[in-house]
Amino acid sequence: MRVDEWIPTLTHATERDVDLLLVEELASSLDFTTWVAGHVGMVGSIAAWDVKHSRRRTRSRREIDIFIEIQNRDGTSSAILIENKLDATEQPDQAESYRQELAALASDYSRAAMVLVCPAAYAAQHLDFSGKFDLVLSYEEIAAFFRELRAETGSELALRYDFRAAILDQAIYKYRRGYTPIPDPVVGDFNARYVLLLADLAPEIEPGPSMRKPANPRESTSMIYDQAVSLSAIPDGIRPRRFAHELGRGSEQRANYVAVTFAGWGAALPAIGARLEADTSEIGAFFEAKRPTKVRPRPGLVMALPCEPVDNQCSFDAQRDALARGIATATTLRRWLLENQDKLTAWRKLVGDQLGAI
C-alpha cells in the first residue's frame, strides 16, 4: 500500500476534536489566521496574534470557545470570538451573550466580530441561531482551505493537511451522514434577479457561471463576473483574473466592495502601493494582498472600490437601489481598467522589477 493511499483518522470526530484542531491551526499558522480574519473583513497585515481556548467572558461565567486577539502592523487591534457547534443545540441566549461580550470589548479593540463555525447543514437547520452571528464559517469551507494548501505543497505538510481535512469530514458526516452542500433556492432566486438587473444596467458585464446556477449554497455571497468576456479588451498579460461584486451578507464587518484581482502581483504591494493609490485617486480605489508564504509566494493583488453591504438572503426589492449602486461601481471599475491600460502595463513592469519575471 502506498503512503498516499492511507491517511490515519479517528474512529469519529467530536466537537472537542474540532476545537483543538482549530486552536492548533490558528495558533501556529498565520495564513489560516489571516484567512479567518479576512472572512470578517479584517484585512490588515498581522504583526502578532494570540489564541485562547475556553476563555472566560468579561461579564459572565460562560466561556468563549475560541478567542483570537490580533495586533496589526498599522497599530490597530482586533478580536474574533468563535463559537464551534457540531451537533449541540443552542444554549439559552447563547448568541446574545456573545454579542454582549463584543459590546464589553468595544473599547479595547479597533474591530471585533463573532463567528459561528459549524457544518453547513447545522447552520441551515438552525437559522435563527446562526443568523445572529457576523459570519458562519462552515466546516466544509475550512476543509477546502486545508485541501487547497495540500494541493500546493508536496511535502510531509501535505499529509498533515489531508489529516486535518479528514477530521472535519468526519465531523460533518457525524452530523449528517452523506451530507453534500445544500443549494438554497432563496440565494438562487436572488442571483437570478441580480443577473437580470445586471443585464439591464450594465450589459457589458457578463455574469459568470456560478451566478447562473438555479441555486447556490447559503455561504455563497460573491457575484463573480466572467472576467474573460467582461474585460476581453484587456490583453492577457495585464488582465485581472477575477472580477466580482462582494455582497458582504449585509454586515459592515464583512467585505463589501467590487474588486479585480491581478494574479501573482500581491507580493509587490508594499513597494508599489503608494504609486497604485496615486494612479487611481480619481476613483478612490484601495489595494490589498495576502502576505506571501512558502505555499503562496505570489499572492494576488486586489484592486477594489467600496460599496454598500447587501444580504442575498433578504429581500431583493428592498436592496435593489444598493445593488444598482454596486453595479454602477463595477461599471466604474471596468471603465477605468479599459481606459488606463497604459497604467496597468506600467504596474506590471513595476511588479516585475520587484519580483523578477512574471
Side-chain angles (χ1 to χ4, degrees):
M1 179 174 63
R2 295 180 5 229
V3 172
D4 61 0
E5 291 177 338
W6 179 74
I7 298 295
T9 54
L10 306 177
T11 56
H12 66 280
T14 68
E15 190 168 281
R16 175 83 172 178
D17 296 324
V18 177
D19 266 2
L20 297 180
L21 182 152
L22 293 174
V23 169
E24 178 188 4
E25 198 68 21
L26 287 165
S28 61
S29 171
L30 177 58
D31 279 347
F32 186 57
T33 302
T34 300
W35 182 76
V36 172
H39 274 68
V40 288
M42 299 177 183
V43 294
S45 178
I46 297 176
W49 74 103
D50 183 59
V51 182
K52 290 183 172 62
H53 184 232
S54 297
R55 181 183 187 272
R56 182 66 59 83
R57 301 183 196 183
T58 306
R59 299 175 182 174
S60 170
R61 290 189 175 184
R62 288 180 170 177
E63 294 179 333
I64 299 164
D65 282 352
I66 302 172
F67 181 88
I68 311 171
E69 184 177 45
I70 295 172
Q71 301 296 327
N72 296 306
R73 296 189 187 280
D74 63 3
T76 61
S77 61
S78 306
I80 303 175
L81 285 59
I82 295 178
E83 171 67 18
N84 176 34
K85 287 286 191 187
L86 198 169
D87 51 12
T89 57
E90 173 191 3
Q91 300 173 21
D93 299 321
Q94 188 171 22
E96 287 79 3
S97 67
Y98 267 76
R99 187 65 64 188
Q100 291 169 3
E101 181 70 7
L102 282 186
L105 295 172
S107 61
D108 298 329
Y109 298 96
S110 308
R111 298 283 305 279
M114 51 189 270
V115 177
L116 176 64
V117 175
C118 63
Y122 182 98
Q125 294 176 21
H126 298 81
L127 291 177
D128 288 344
F129 177 59
S130 62
K132 295 172 183 176
F133 287 80
D134 297 319
L135 169 71
V136 174
L137 190 58
S138 72
Y139 286 10
E140 289 83 353
E141 290 174 289
I142 298 171
F145 174 83
F146 291 154
R147 289 195 169 95
E148 181 181 348
L149 289 181
R150 188 258 183 269
E152 295 178 6
T153 183
S155 65
E156 173 188 340
L157 187 60
L159 293 177
R160 294 181 184 274
Y161 281 118
D162 267 351
F163 177 80
R164 286 161 170 74
I167 293 299
L168 290 168
D169 287 343
Q170 290 186 16
I172 293 164
Y173 294 135
K174 178 185 177 184
Y175 181 72
R176 176 176 176 171
R177 297 294 178 182
Y179 169 76
T180 55
I182 303 171
D184 187 334
V186 173
V187 175
D189 178 66
F190 190 101
N191 285 10
R193 297 190 65 183
Y194 185 103
V195 169
L196 292 175
L197 184 63
L198 183 68
D200 182 42
L201 300 180
E204 66 276 13
I205 298 178
E206 181 72 14
S210 65
M211 296 174 64
R212 298 183 182 275
K213 291 182 179 179
N216 279 348
R218 294 178 66 86
E219 304 85 45
S220 177
T221 59
S222 301
M223 297 292 108
I224 304 175
Y225 307 134
D226 187 331
Q227 54 82 24
V229 176
S230 304
L231 304 176
S232 60
I234 301 175
D236 287 344
I238 56 174
R239 184 193 305 150
R241 69 177 178 189
R242 191 176 193 271
F243 182 19
H245 181 185
E246 307 293 345
L247 301 182
R249 279 192 183 147
S251 171
E252 293 284 355
Q253 293 182 316
R254 287 177 59 87
N256 301 285
Y257 49 70
V258 172
V260 292
T261 302
F262 296 92
W265 292 13
L269 180 58
I272 68 174
R275 166 69 181 273
L276 304 185
E277 291 178 1
D279 282 352
T280 58
S281 60
E282 64 191 276
I283 58 171
F286 65 93
F287 296 83
E288 298 174 349
K290 293 183 178 179
R291 187 180 67 87
T293 65
K294 290 182 180 179
V295 176
R296 292 191 186 89
R298 293 284 183 92
L301 172 68
V302 176
M303 173 185 178
L305 298 179
C307 54
E308 300 165 64
V310 173
D311 191 340
N312 64 348
Q313 296 170 30
C314 294
S315 168
F316 184 95
D317 291 329
Q319 302 175 98
R320 188 186 185 283
D321 289 346
L323 287 162
R325 287 189 287 271
I327 291 172
T329 300
T331 301
T332 297
L333 179 55
R334 176 182 179 273
R335 182 183 304 117
W336 190 93
L337 293 168
L338 294 176
E339 294 176 354
N340 290 273
Q341 295 184 43
D342 57 334
K343 290 182 179 178
L344 300 184
T345 300
W347 291 0
R348 187 179 187 278
K349 183 178 185 306
L350 290 173
V351 172
D353 290 343
Q354 291 294 321
L355 305 181
I358 57 172

